[in-house]
Amino acid sequence: MFYLLFFALVAEVRGDAIDFFNLPKLVGEKSYELKLKEMEIQRKQVDMDTRNLRYLPSLNFEYAPFFEKLPSEGFDRKGWSRSLNLNWSFQEQGNVVLTNLIMELEYERLLLEYRALFQKELFDQAFQYAETLKLLAFFDYDFSNEEDAEKQYQTIQKLYKQGIESYMVAQNSKVDFLFYKYNAIKSKLDQQKSQSVFRRKFLLKNVSLRPIPAREFKALPLEETLKEYEKNLSEINFDIVLSINQVKILEVQKQVRFNELWVPDFFVNLYENSTKQTIYGISGSWTQPNYVYDYSRGDYSLYANNPDPFSSAGANFGVRIPLFNRFLSKNEFDKSKIEIKLAKSQSQFLRENTGLYLFELIQQHNNLVELNDISLESKRTAEENFQIMEKSYKTGSASIVELQTVDRRIRDVMRNQIQNHYELIQLRLQIGLLLGDTMKFLRE
């Protein structure tokens, strides 16, 4: 098609053309949704890098200097205190093991979601790519129809003025011309809208699409294809894989609820405390036995020098068993069991539904292949009929009405063939997406 060929050549000269099979690279570089998902993965990676630190016991160090004025006592006091506490809880350590496992499963889920999102983004853009090319082909086809219809209309108008053709034939020719002109303008608008959607998705300007390499599409063996992929759906279909991952997360969360309900909390606590203070500013007398003589001051005062520091160290251990909180923990545990049943049921339904959907898509594909083959044969036949009718019209053995009828038929057949070709491409993209590789059935 001349318009598409010209479009591709101009794009190649400008250097802004996009190739269909380079879409995976473009999606990876330009997709905003993928960039957001990458940042989400990076944030989770920070937690993953420090997850082993969660196994360490709780260790707290406190240092607190103090200053206190006691006017009623007649002296001031200053000093410092410090404490060091180490606490280890059996239940918390057990939950750390489980919560770290949940974290790893959530990280795995993010990676799966990234791959699934990549395939979805690729499918959307590849589908839009094929849709835009289809509309460009429609525009090329409708533009050519408009030109031919205009020439035919002008010819029939001359024949009408010469009295050779009737008014009705002239009017039908005008209707055909306006119809094809309307289709050409509409096709131009549709392909501009479609290409705008493609550009805005990746913030591209002046982008042009190269034609998808032509190839013959054959029917997919229904039984063999289903047998090959149905048994692996739980491994290749991202929706099913994500549902299985969710079941795993819920099962670990149920174990956490079980621990909170039934596992007693054994704990060990080690501590060391020390305090040192200075009391000063009091003059003493002989009548108060608590006063001692301070040689540095030359008088009697209460602990005028720094007294010996006070310190203590020890350990305690025991067990904590929640009483009233157990009712809430039991509720959470019962809910977690129901959530697992629900998630497993949804996963199983999704697997069966996906298998049925795959069966239907393959059937649609094979029916469309058959329809496409018929449209190609119809196109060849219609072209032959038009050539025969055109010769008959030139020799006077066929009327202009008969020629117009055959002409409309060939145009309809050509439009159907364009439609079937690009629908086959889009359907193969859909089957590939369902099986975890959008481009799979277009590369083979």
Coordinates of all heavy atoms in Angstrom, one line a residue, residues 183-212:
N183 N -15.7 8.0 4.7 CA -14.9 7.0 5.3 C -13.4 7.4 5.3 O -12.7 7.1 6.3 CB -15.0 5.7 4.4 CG -16.3 5.0 4.8 OD1 -17.0 5.3 5.7 ND2 -16.7 4.0 4.0
A184 N -12.9 8.1 4.3 CA -11.5 8.5 4.2 C -11.2 9.5 5.4 O -10.2 9.4 6.1 CB -11.2 9.1 2.9
I185 N -12.1 10.5 5.5 CA -11.9 11.5 6.6 C -12.0 10.8 8.0 O -11.2 11.1 8.9 CB -13.0 12.6 6.5 CG1 -12.8 13.4 5.2 CG2 -12.9 13.5 7.7 CD1 -13.8 14.4 4.9
K186 N -13.0 9.9 8.2 CA -13.2 9.2 9.4 C -11.9 8.3 9.7 O -11.5 8.3 10.9 CB -14.4 8.4 9.4 CG -14.7 7.7 10.8 CD -16.1 7.0 10.8 CE -16.4 6.5 12.2 NZ -15.4 5.6 12.7
S187 N -11.4 7.6 8.7 CA -10.3 6.8 8.9 C -9.0 7.6 9.3 O -8.2 7.2 10.1 CB -10.0 6.0 7.6 OG -11.0 5.1 7.3
K188 N -8.9 8.7 8.7 CA -7.8 9.6 9.0 C -7.9 10.0 10.5 O -6.9 10.0 11.2 CB -7.8 10.8 8.1 CG -6.6 11.8 8.4 CD -6.7 13.0 7.4 CE -5.5 13.9 7.7 NZ -5.5 15.1 6.8
L189 N -9.1 10.4 10.9 CA -9.3 10.8 12.3 C -9.1 9.7 13.3 O -8.4 9.8 14.3 CB -10.7 11.3 12.5 CG -11.1 11.8 13.9 CD1 -10.3 13.0 14.4 CD2 -12.6 12.2 13.9
D190 N -9.5 8.5 12.9 CA -9.4 7.3 13.8 C -7.9 6.9 14.0 O -7.5 6.6 15.1 CB -10.1 6.1 13.2 CG -11.6 6.3 13.4 OD1 -12.1 7.1 14.2 OD2 -12.4 5.6 12.6
Q191 N -7.1 7.0 12.9 CA -5.7 6.6 13.0 C -4.9 7.6 13.7 O -4.0 7.4 14.5 CB -5.1 6.3 11.6 CG -5.0 7.4 10.7 CD -3.7 8.2 10.8 OE1 -2.8 7.8 11.5 NE2 -3.7 9.4 10.2
Q192 N -5.4 8.9 13.6 CA -4.7 10.0 14.4 C -4.9 9.8 15.9 O -4.0 10.0 16.7 CB -5.2 11.4 13.9 CG -4.6 11.8 12.6 CD -5.3 13.1 12.1 OE1 -6.3 13.5 12.6 NE2 -4.6 13.7 11.1
K193 N -6.2 9.5 16.2 CA -6.5 9.2 17.7 C -5.7 8.0 18.2 O -5.2 8.0 19.3 CB -8.0 8.9 17.8 CG -8.9 10.2 17.7 CD -10.3 9.8 17.8 CE -11.3 11.0 17.7 NZ -12.7 10.6 17.9
S194 N -5.7 6.9 17.4 CA -5.0 5.7 17.8 C -3.5 6.0 18.0 O -2.9 5.6 19.0 CB -5.2 4.6 16.8 OG -4.5 3.4 17.2
Q195 N -2.9 6.7 17.1 CA -1.5 7.0 17.2 C -1.2 8.0 18.3 O -0.2 7.9 19.0 CB -1.0 7.6 15.9 CG 0.5 7.6 15.8 CD 1.0 7.8 14.3 OE1 2.1 8.2 14.1 NE2 0.2 7.5 13.4
S196 N -2.2 8.8 18.6 CA -2.0 9.7 19.8 C -2.0 9.0 21.1 O -1.2 9.3 22.0 CB -3.2 10.7 19.8 OG -3.1 11.5 20.9
V197 N -2.8 7.9 21.2 CA -2.8 7.1 22.4 C -1.5 6.4 22.6 O -0.9 6.4 23.7 CB -3.9 6.0 22.3 CG1 -3.8 5.0 23.4 CG2 -5.3 6.7 22.3
F198 N -0.9 5.9 21.5 CA 0.4 5.3 21.5 C 1.5 6.3 21.9 O 2.4 5.9 22.8 CB 0.7 4.7 20.1 CG 2.0 3.9 20.1 CD1 2.0 2.5 20.3 CD2 3.2 4.5 19.8 CE1 3.1 1.8 20.3 CE2 4.4 3.7 19.7 CZ 4.3 2.4 20.0
R199 N 1.5 7.5 21.4 CA 2.5 8.5 21.7 C 2.4 8.9 23.2 O 3.4 9.0 23.8 CB 2.4 9.7 20.8 CG 2.8 9.4 19.3 CD 3.1 10.7 18.6 NE 2.0 11.6 18.7 CZ 1.0 11.7 17.8 NH1 1.0 10.9 16.8 NH2 0.0 12.6 18.0
R200 N 1.2 9.3 23.6 CA 1.0 9.8 24.9 C 1.4 8.8 26.0 O 1.8 9.2 27.1 CB -0.4 10.3 25.1 CG -0.7 11.6 24.4 CD -2.1 12.1 24.7 NE -3.1 11.3 24.2 CZ -3.9 10.5 24.9 NH1 -3.7 10.4 26.2 NH2 -4.9 9.8 24.4
K201 N 1.2 7.5 25.8 CA 1.6 6.5 26.7 C 3.0 6.6 27.1 O 3.4 6.5 28.3 CB 1.3 5.1 26.2 CG 1.6 4.0 27.1 CD 0.6 3.9 28.2 CE 0.9 2.7 29.1 NZ -0.1 2.6 30.2
F202 N 3.9 6.9 26.2 CA 5.4 6.9 26.4 C 6.0 8.3 26.2 O 7.2 8.4 26.1 CB 6.1 5.9 25.5 CG 5.8 4.5 25.9 CD1 5.8 3.5 24.9 CD2 5.4 4.1 27.1 CE1 5.5 2.2 25.2 CE2 5.1 2.8 27.5 CZ 5.2 1.8 26.5
L203 N 5.1 9.3 26.1 CA 5.5 10.7 25.9 C 6.5 10.9 24.7 O 7.5 11.4 24.8 CB 6.3 11.2 27.2 CG 5.5 11.1 28.5 CD1 6.3 11.6 29.7 CD2 4.2 11.9 28.5
L204 N 6.0 10.3 23.6 CA 6.8 10.4 22.4 C 6.2 11.4 21.4 O 5.0 11.7 21.5 CB 6.7 9.0 21.7 CG 7.3 7.8 22.5 CD1 7.0 6.5 21.7 CD2 8.8 8.0 22.7
K205 N 7.1 12.0 20.6 CA 6.7 13.0 19.7 C 7.1 12.6 18.3 O 8.1 12.0 18.1 CB 7.3 14.4 20.0 CG 6.9 15.0 21.3 CD 7.6 16.3 21.5 CE 7.2 16.9 22.9 NZ 7.8 18.2 23.1
N206 N 6.3 12.9 17.3 CA 6.6 12.6 15.9 C 7.0 11.2 15.6 O 8.0 10.9 15.0 CB 7.7 13.6 15.4 CG 7.3 15.0 15.5 OD1 6.2 15.4 15.3 ND2 8.3 15.9 15.9
V207 N 6.3 10.3 16.3 CA 6.6 8.9 16.2 C 5.8 8.3 15.0 O 4.7 8.6 14.7 CB 6.3 8.1 17.5 CG1 4.8 8.1 17.7 CG2 6.8 6.7 17.4
S208 N 6.5 7.4 14.3 CA 5.9 6.6 13.2 C 6.1 5.1 13.4 O 7.1 4.7 14.0 CB 6.4 7.1 11.8 OG 6.2 8.5 11.7
L209 N 5.2 4.3 12.8 CA 5.2 2.9 13.1 C 5.6 2.2 11.8 O 4.9 2.4 10.7 CB 3.9 2.4 13.6 CG 3.3 3.2 14.7 CD1 1.9 2.6 15.1 CD2 4.2 3.2 15.9
R210 N 6.6 1.3 11.8 CA 6.9 0.5 10.7 C 5.9 -0.6 10.5 O 5.4 -1.1 11.5 CB 8.3 0.0 10.8 CG 9.4 1.1 10.7 CD 10.8 0.5 10.9 NE 11.8 1.6 10.7 CZ 13.0 1.5 11.1 NH1 13.4 0.4 11.8 NH2 13.9 2.4 10.9
P211 N 5.7 -1.1 9.3 CA 4.8 -2.2 9.1 C 5.3 -3.5 9.8 O 6.5 -3.7 9.9 CB 4.7 -2.4 7.6 CG 5.2 -1.1 7.0 CD 6.2 -0.5 8.0
I212 N 4.3 -4.3 10.3 CA 4.7 -5.6 10.9 C 5.0 -6.5 9.8 O 4.3 -6.6 8.8 CB 3.5 -6.1 11.7 CG1 3.2 -5.1 12.9 CG2 3.8 -7.5 12.3 CD1 1.9 -5.5 13.6

